[in-house]
Amino acid sequence: MTDVKLLADRIEDLLPQTQCTKCGYPACRPYAEAVARGEASYNQCPPGGAEGIARLAALLGKPVIPLNSANGVERPRPLAVIDEQLCIGCTLCMQACPVDAIVGAPKQMHTVLAELCTGCDLCVPPCPVDCIAMPAVTGGATGWAAWSQGQADAARVRHERRGARLTRERDAAEARAAARRAASATPHGANAPAPAAASVAAAPAVPAVDDAQAKKRAIIQAALERARKKKDEMAAKGQAPLNTDNVSADVQAQIDAAEARRHRLGLGDATNDTGNDTGDPHGQPSGPRNPQ
């Protein structure tokens, strides 16, 4: 087991860390572990391209083989660009970004930090108004020729920090839910102690918090309602959003799983509410990928 872990570490070091999921795994690390266990081939990383396969082949003592076309094609590195005139601030792209390269807030325009974007495509499928383009920014350079080791290392750090933040937010949400359950289970019968005066005085603060959360959810719901109306108008004109076509069953399963996780943690309705009750505008779960 230790040998497998060490091999996974060495494989991960050779991956471009775009976290694009095109390999069929949710991030670069799980793919590295699958290759180390012999459960995945070393030719499933389109961003690494032919050079990436050669690097892995040398490490594993295997022959150099072509990129598996089922995982995509080697191509110039793209950059996510948001049309801010169309953006409705739904936060779905922010939730999907694996390296926190998108900034914004509910009902506000979002912006991609170009120097942080890995070109993973993950922000494209969730966008309800089709306002994200992925133009190539490296000319004819593809694979590792379009992506430096320094960029890979930085993306890896950002992805790990994001994972740690999401874990903290999930734990905090679960703790809040446990506290609410415990409070609702407290007996209030004749034998229960009378509430202290301080507690009674503090009681009005709870509705204030609830009101703030309700207002936040209402704002997000209104933004999504505008998005739905926009989609209906486009569909009536035969101009439905392009990024909803040809979504694979695996991609849809990832979208559904992400929303289900948010629903279980009390972060909103699994189908409509994309709000983030933690106060952090980047509170995103693992997002879907855009099949290539």
Side-chain angles (χ1 to χ4, degrees):
M1 182 62 69
T2 300
D3 290 343
V4 171
K5 181 181 184 303
L6 292 176
L7 180 57
D9 290 342
R10 297 180 65 187
I11 292 172
E12 185 181 16
D13 290 341
L14 298 178
L15 297 177
Q17 303 298 320
T18 57
Q19 315 300 337
C20 66
T21 78
K22 291 181 174 63
C23 60
Y25 292 84
C28 294
R29 178 66 191 189
Y31 174 52
E33 293 173 346
V35 174
R37 292 192 300 265
E39 298 172 359
S41 180
Y42 53 97
N43 69 336
Q44 297 176 200
C45 176
E51 182 178 342
I53 294 172
R55 293 183 182 189
L56 294 174
L59 171 64
L60 299 171
K62 303 275 189 179
V64 176
I65 57 179
L67 176 68
N68 188 339
S69 60
N71 298 105
V73 297
E74 181 174 349
R75 59 175 181 169
R77 180 169 60 87
L79 171 69
V81 177
I82 296 176
D83 186 336
E84 297 181 347
Q85 297 300 311
L86 298 178
C87 177
I88 50 85
C90 69
T91 78
L92 290 176
C93 61
M94 293 166 59
Q95 294 178 41
C97 180
V99 293
D100 284 346
I102 303 176
V103 295
K107 206 179 177 182
Q108 302 295 324
M109 291 187 302
H110 297 349
T111 300
V112 177
L113 303 177
E115 66 275 15
L116 304 185
C117 178
T118 66
C120 68
D121 298 315
L122 294 178
C123 58
V124 176
C127 178
V129 292
D130 196 33
C131 71
I132 303 176
M134 299 294 298
V137 293
T138 58
T142 65
W144 274 104
W147 190 243
S148 70
Q149 187 62 52
Q151 288 173 308
D153 293 342
R156 181 176 181 175
V157 169
R158 292 195 302 276
H159 180 67
E160 290 173 348
R161 287 176 177 171
R162 172 182 180 271
R165 172 176 55 74
L166 292 179
T167 297
R168 291 194 302 271
E169 292 172 356
R170 182 177 63 250
D171 291 346
E174 290 174 346
R176 290 194 298 271
R180 288 194 294 269
R181 289 194 297 270
S184 64
T186 301
H188 295 289
N191 296 327
S199 298
V200 174
V206 176
V209 174
D210 291 342
D211 288 346
Q213 296 294 351
K215 181 178 180 181
K216 188 174 185 179
R217 293 175 188 276
I219 291 173
I220 296 168
Q221 187 67 30
L224 287 176
E225 184 61 30
R226 287 196 301 274
R228 281 191 287 270
K229 289 181 179 179
K230 180 66 174 178
K231 289 175 69 174
D232 291 342
E233 292 173 0
M234 294 172 65
K237 298 176 182 179
Q239 300 174 344
L242 302 177
N243 61 339
T244 59
D245 295 336
N246 303 317
V247 175
S248 70
D250 288 343
V251 170
Q252 189 60 52
Q254 291 180 53
I255 296 172
D256 295 342
E259 292 304 318
R261 282 196 297 274
R262 296 185 68 257
H263 183 62
R264 286 198 303 272
L265 295 177
L267 299 180
D269 184 270
T271 57
N272 294 323
D273 185 4
T274 60
N276 172 18
D277 290 345
T278 64
D280 182 343
H282 290 88
Q284 62 260 45
S286 296
R289 72 179 179 92
N290 186 31
Q292 294 291 320

